[in-house]
Amino acid sequence: MANKQFPEGFLWGSASAAYQIEGAHDLDGKGLSNWDHFVRIPGKTFKETTGDVAVDHYHRFAEDIRLMAEMGLKTYRFSISWPRVIPDGTGEVNEAGLQFYDNIINACIKNDIVPMVTVYHWDLPQALVDDYDGWEHRRIVDDYVAYATVLFKRYGDRVKHWITMNEQNVFTMLGWMAGMHPPGDVANNKMFYQVNHHANMAHAKAVLALKELFPESKVGASHAFGPAYALDCKPENHVAQMNSNDMGNYWWMDVYAYGRYPKRTMKYLTEMGVAPQFEAGDEDIMKAAAAKVDFMGVNYYQTGVAEHNPIDGVGAAKEKMNNSGKKGSTKEVSGVPGMFKRPANPHLETTDWDWTIDPVGLRVCCRDITSRYDLPIVISENGLGAFDKQEENGRIHDPYRIAYLKAHIEELKIAIDEGSEVWAYCTWSFTDLLSWLNGYQKRYGFVYVDREEEEGSGTLNRFKKDSYYWYEKVIASNGAEMDFDPTTMK
């Protein structure tokens, strides 16, 4: 297309999560989260890293938002820590926690940055885990909605974009199937699907609560969308692709957009005896909320491949994922017997953490959402984790990140030209941060943070990478200018 610019008013943004950046894990009345507890279990994270200090955004948020303003960022997507706002998960509210997020929101607005708030980005109050096992119990639904309503009432006059859940498919899959996130269960199929139903009901009731208070607010959930390609043109592999997308993507996205689960997957789960239990009225609530959802949030990093898997074929992978950054250390093939398995894609390059690099996949996501749901799209995460190094002169050259983002943005523009309505593109992330299981060595940011794995290491000072200057130019040109050398910029 001749027009290289993005639509007028397009929100060029970046994203973060409270546990990964804030630190101050036990200050000013904050309660402990499930992650504060989980990372203290030996062997769970790379070199036993924690978010106790993270990159100290709690004390440095003003500096970080100033750097966003200098870049010209249009939106900042951040999450609120449930235990910072309600330390015990339910009951008494912590005013110091509420004020902290007031300060962030007000600083964003002062600098013409649209605040985009994620209600839940995985840090559950540990008190609720101790009390009734958190997401495993139906009580979590009402406690979550009460927490979300506190946020809506406090910030709804200024926050117009809300994301209820971040990557529900990831925190439940890694928590109850792979054992790598809290609570660390392995292959607990029955609980996995029940937990997801509880989270879906929490999302639905929160959407209805928000729309009751602020009907004009925009709300959706962010799904980690990894489309599956069929291995080849064999019909059985195409069916495997359908099964993979149903079980790995549409199981969540159909709920957000339609208020129902995919029929094929529900039939399979019923036959296996692991389908979630509904309470009276659940279907009506899910459908009512779906009618009020305004956009589909997409966290996009990679695609997968689907191949026919016989009934006696491979199941969930038993090996741990690559969290060391040693390329090629992920070897396993996982799947669901009788439904699909996921071999590697020989046509794509991978990151040092063995994630496929597939810019076209972002376009596939947008096309699929537009065709299947006819909803606007918010790209709520997209980015490259890499080993960034600071030179003696303080500069950080990251041409690989620029190339990655440029290729994805180009495909996103094609998707828009093809008819997808995309409101925002948020990179992951603005500053470097704690990469959950991968420590601090896996850097994602435009801004380098001086710290390593050990607590107390580094100054935590901020330094602009080459990609910072590149994205600044992209934003200023509304996506029209991406071919230039940021090393020539100060």
Side-chain angles (χ1 to χ4, degrees):
M1 294 290 183
N3 178 23
K4 294 183 178 180
Q5 287 192 326
F6 277 65
E8 184 178 353
F10 188 78
L11 295 176
W12 295 96
S14 202
S16 69
Y19 182 76
Q20 294 177 270
I21 64 169
E22 286 180 3
H25 80 293
D26 60 354
L27 296 183
D28 297 334
K30 178 185 173 294
L32 294 181
S33 73
N34 57 340
W35 274 93
D36 292 320
H37 173 78
F38 189 73
V39 297
R40 284 167 169 75
I41 302 173
K44 290 298 184 182
T45 65
F46 178 72
K47 293 188 176 180
E48 316 298 327
T49 48
T50 77
D52 290 3
V53 176
V55 296
D56 199 27
H57 181 71
Y58 188 78
H59 296 107
R60 296 170 182 251
F61 74 88
E63 176 186 3
D64 291 340
I65 294 175
R66 175 180 59 78
L67 290 169
M68 295 177 197
E70 289 178 10
M71 177 189 268
L73 210 69
K74 301 300 183 185
T75 188
Y76 174 42
R77 178 203 167 207
F78 62 94
S79 77
I80 290 177
S81 169
W82 187 345
R84 194 177 297 283
V85 170
I86 307 178
D88 291 329
T90 183
E92 187 174 351
V93 175
N94 178 29
E95 177 60 29
L98 287 171
Q99 186 60 53
F100 171 65
Y101 297 109
D102 264 324
N103 295 341
I104 290 177
I105 291 166
N106 292 338
C108 285
I109 293 171
K110 182 179 178 180
N111 287 283
D112 296 320
I113 299 169
V114 174
M116 185 180 297
V117 173
T118 304
V119 176
Y120 183 76
H121 199 133
W122 304 357
D123 46 351
L124 180 70
Q126 180 63 29
L128 299 186
V129 179
D130 296 338
D131 189 12
Y132 56 76
D133 295 323
W135 288 108
E136 296 184 14
H137 198 286
R138 180 73 186 212
R139 283 176 56 186
I140 192 70
V141 175
D142 289 339
D143 285 343
Y144 171 90
V145 176
Y147 153 65
T149 302
V150 169
L151 305 188
F152 300 153
K153 289 181 176 179
R154 179 77 172 222
Y155 309 124
D157 61 327
R158 287 154 291 156
V159 175
K160 304 305 178 184
H161 297 77
W162 295 89
I163 293 172
T164 56
M165 294 275 173
N166 178 78
E167 294 186 352
Q168 182 184 329
N169 55 327
V170 173
F171 85 77
T172 56
M173 181 66 71
L174 295 184
W176 281 269
M177 295 293 282
M180 290 183 284
H181 280 202
D185 281 5
V186 177
N188 192 344
N189 282 272
K190 179 69 173 177
M191 187 55 70
F192 168 73
Y193 287 104
Q194 193 62 47
V195 160
N196 269 290
H197 186 65
H198 295 161
N200 284 328
M201 293 308 303
H203 154 82
K205 288 190 173 183
V207 167
L208 296 176
L210 174 63
K211 290 296 188 174
E212 182 70 23
L213 291 167
F214 297 97
E216 300 305 313
S217 291
K218 305 302 182 185
V219 64
S222 286
H223 176 73
F225 196 175
Y229 303 132
L231 179 67
D232 55 29
C233 55
K234 290 181 180 178
E236 58 265 37
N237 289 334
H238 180 70
V239 173
Q241 177 201 32
M242 296 173 71
N243 292 338
S244 177
N245 281 328
D246 263 9
M247 298 189 77
N249 292 304
Y250 305 146
W251 180 258
W252 293 271
M253 297 166 74
D254 280 9
V255 171
Y256 301 148
Y258 297 143
R260 59 167 172 76
Y261 294 106
K263 291 182 179 179
R264 172 66 186 100
T265 301
M266 181 60 83
K267 188 174 189 301
Y268 170 81
L269 298 180
T270 301
E271 291 170 349
M272 298 297 293
V274 296
Q277 298 297 310
F278 283 57
E279 288 192 359
D282 282 2
E283 292 184 7
D284 292 338
I285 292 170
M286 290 165 64
K287 289 180 179 178
K292 294 181 179 295
V293 162
D294 299 290
F295 62 86
M296 185 70 73
V298 173
N299 291 2
Y300 175 75
Y301 292 96
Q302 60 180 329
T303 51
V305 175
E307 182 181 8
H308 174 68
N309 192 17
I311 196 65
D312 58 349
V314 298
K318 295 181 179 180
E319 296 182 37
K320 290 185 178 180
M321 69 171 60
N322 172 3
N323 66 2
S324 66
K326 294 179 181 179
K327 195 170 184 176
S329 59
T330 302
K331 300 293 185 182
E332 77 278 1
V333 174
S334 63
V336 178
M339 298 293 281
F340 65 89
K341 61 180 175 181
R342 296 190 178 100
N345 190 330
H347 303 291
L348 296 175
E349 296 293 324
T350 61
T351 71
D352 288 326
W353 280 264
D354 298 326
W355 293 19
T356 58
I357 300 174
D358 182 9
V360 174
L362 179 56
R363 179 181 170 194
V364 171
C365 288
C366 294
R367 285 279 298 270
D368 199 15
I369 291 169
T370 300
S371 175
R372 189 178 181 92
Y373 306 117
D374 195 21
L375 279 173
I377 299 163
V378 167
I379 306 301
S380 40
E381 289 182 25
N382 175 234
L384 175 69
F387 293 107
D388 299 337
K389 299 298 180 184
Q390 186 176 26
E391 298 185 357
E392 290 183 2
N393 62 3
R395 292 300 296 265
I396 302 96
H397 301 302
D398 55 346
Y400 38 84
R401 179 168 294 107
I402 293 171
Y404 178 98
L405 295 175
K406 177 177 180 291
H408 284 77
I409 291 171
E410 287 173 342
E411 291 295 332
L412 183 63
K413 180 58 167 61
I414 295 174
I416 293 172
D417 291 339
E418 291 175 335
S420 293
E421 182 181 352
V422 183
W423 291 353
Y425 173 78
C426 294
T427 69
W428 186 264
S429 54
F430 185 74
T431 66
D432 290 338
L433 39 64
L434 170 62
S435 181
W436 298 106
L437 305 178
N438 308 293
Y440 295 92
Q441 63 166 354
K442 190 179 186 183
R443 297 176 179 271
Y444 279 95
F446 293 123
V447 175
Y448 183 94
V449 178
D450 178 26
R451 77 151 293 169
E452 301 298 334
E453 311 310 316
E454 298 76 18
E455 296 296 357
S457 64
T459 63
L460 298 178
N461 289 340
R462 274 66 167 150
F463 300 89
K464 298 175 181 177
K465 304 177 187 178
D466 286 352
S467 58
Y468 177 101
Y469 300 104
W470 178 83
Y471 199 52
E472 179 183 14
K473 191 82 167 182
V474 171
I475 295 171
S477 67
N478 197 23
E481 296 185 41
M482 292 193 285
D483 293 311
F484 63 91
D485 183 4
T487 62
T488 63
M489 302 175 69
K490 294 183 180 180

